[in-house]
Amino acid sequence: MSRISLITLLLMCTFSGITYAQSSEQRAALDSLKQVVLQLDQDLYQVELNLHQSKKQLKTGIFIATVGYTVTIIGGQLLGRNPDLGEALLYAGGATGIGGTVVLVNGFKKISLGKPRPRVLISP
């Protein structure tokens, strides 16, 4: 009887050790998964923040560029009737349009996060 009890006790200890090893591996996998999810959440927050911050600058750039190029068109139309005013409007409108384009480009730079880093694949 004591031999059977000893073997049973030994088997129970062995199986509980295997179960503990499996649960610690599962915990490690869950911790790794949590870290990946948290990193994705941080990346998503950064993208949303960049989009929010660049929205106003993009709208401003579009408005400035539109006004500038409209003034340039008006200046081109006036070249035949009033060359001095038309020429001044051409230069002023062109400069304003270029300034608006620069504001737009800077707004798009805010959207970009830079080159994405390589993703690490988690094997099952």
Side-chain angles (χ1 to χ4, degrees), residues 4-73:
I4 293 176
S5 300
L6 182 63
I7 291 173
T8 305
L9 181 65
L10 193 60
L11 286 174
M12 287 174 56
C13 289
T14 303
F15 285 128
S16 68
I18 290 172
T19 304
Y20 175 75
Q22 286 177 347
S23 68
S24 66
E25 287 174 2
Q26 288 173 346
R27 264 189 248 122
L30 282 176
D31 288 343
S32 175
L33 184 61
K34 285 180 184 177
Q35 288 176 350
V36 170
V37 169
L38 288 174
Q39 183 62 44
L40 285 173
D41 185 52
Q42 289 175 350
D43 290 347
L44 178 63
Y45 173 76
Q46 188 63 42
V47 168
E48 289 175 345
L49 182 65
N50 287 350
L51 285 172
H52 176 71
Q53 290 175 343
S54 66
K55 180 180 176 181
K56 184 176 180 181
Q57 188 169 3
L58 291 173
K59 285 183 176 182
T60 303
I62 289 170
F63 178 73
I64 293 171
T66 302
V67 168
Y69 296 133
T70 302
V71 170
T72 303
I73 292 169

Side-chain angles (χ1 to χ4, degrees), residues 106-122:
N106 288 336
F108 282 114
K109 284 181 183 177
K110 282 185 180 179
I111 292 175
S112 175
L113 292 175
K115 183 178 177 183
R117 58 184 183 274
R119 300 288 186 211
V120 177
L121 296 177
I122 300 173

